[in-house]
Amino acid sequence: MKLLLLAVGHRTPSWVGEGVAVYRRRLPPHLKPRLIEIAPGHRGRGADLDRARSREADGLRKAAAGAHVVALDQTGRAWSTAELAARLESWQRSGRAVALMIGGPDGLDPECLAGADEVWSLGPLTLPHALVRIVVVEQLYRAWTILTGHPYHRE
């Protein structure tokens, strides 16, 4: 299964890359998400934020072409870890690539949300987008451990 982690942003702190790498190393080769960073749209004094998100959306959609798209957004449905494990199992059986989309500082463009196959919420907290990368990869690892009977996950 091809698993993509599409994230708007670049130049994240080194601890973010290290955190993602820890959980990527623990996953089997077929579940190691490939991180694709999408350049953020221009922000700054007088910037058009809708235009910035639209530009980001173009990059996200291009990177996710043909994949089952899971958009991460506060408006989505929160999944328990067991529900994520069931989804991971289903995604593996489908044989289709899965693209997990993480928006930039202003979230995902409404078109990305509307075009997603699923919208996943990590909860009502607002998290730094760089930290979301680590949380998502850790949760994928945790879901995989549930499916394989590994003792990492304890209820």
Side-chain angles (χ1 to χ4, degrees):
M1 176 177 115
K2 185 176 177 184
L3 191 56
L4 304 171
L5 184 60
L6 310 179
V8 173
H10 54 82
R11 289 186 266 160
T12 58
S14 61
W15 60 266
V16 173
E18 292 165 14
V20 169
V22 164
Y23 294 104
R24 279 189 83 251
R25 279 193 299 271
R26 294 179 183 188
L27 284 162
H30 72 283
L31 289 180
K32 288 185 190 300
R34 179 174 164 227
L35 174 63
I36 299 174
E37 292 183 324
I38 306 301
H42 174 72
R43 286 172 174 74
R45 175 172 250 149
D48 182 343
L49 294 181
D50 288 336
R51 188 172 183 188
R53 284 196 319 180
S54 179
R55 182 172 175 261
E56 295 162 0
D58 290 343
L60 288 165
R61 282 194 300 270
K62 182 179 176 185
H68 177 88
V69 174
V70 180
L72 280 101
D73 189 81
Q74 224 174 9
T75 64
R77 186 169 174 276
W79 302 337
S80 69
T81 304
E83 288 173 315
L84 176 59
R87 278 181 165 76
L88 181 61
E89 186 173 47
S90 174
W91 297 338
Q92 289 181 86
R93 279 196 314 263
S94 79
R96 191 172 167 202
V98 174
L100 301 157
M101 284 185 180
I102 301 170
D106 299 299
L108 290 168
D109 185 84
E111 287 187 28
C112 280
L113 293 172
D117 296 294
E118 300 179 79
V119 182
W120 176 21
S121 171
L122 297 179
L125 295 173
T126 301
L127 299 171
H129 293 271
L131 183 59
V132 170
R133 297 176 188 201
I134 299 171
V135 172
V136 168
V137 178
E138 188 279 337
Q139 285 298 295
L140 290 170
Y141 173 69
R142 185 175 295 275
W144 174 77
T145 66
I146 289 171
L147 296 175
T148 60
H150 188 283
Y152 178 80
H153 177 74
R154 291 170 179 79
E155 294 187 59

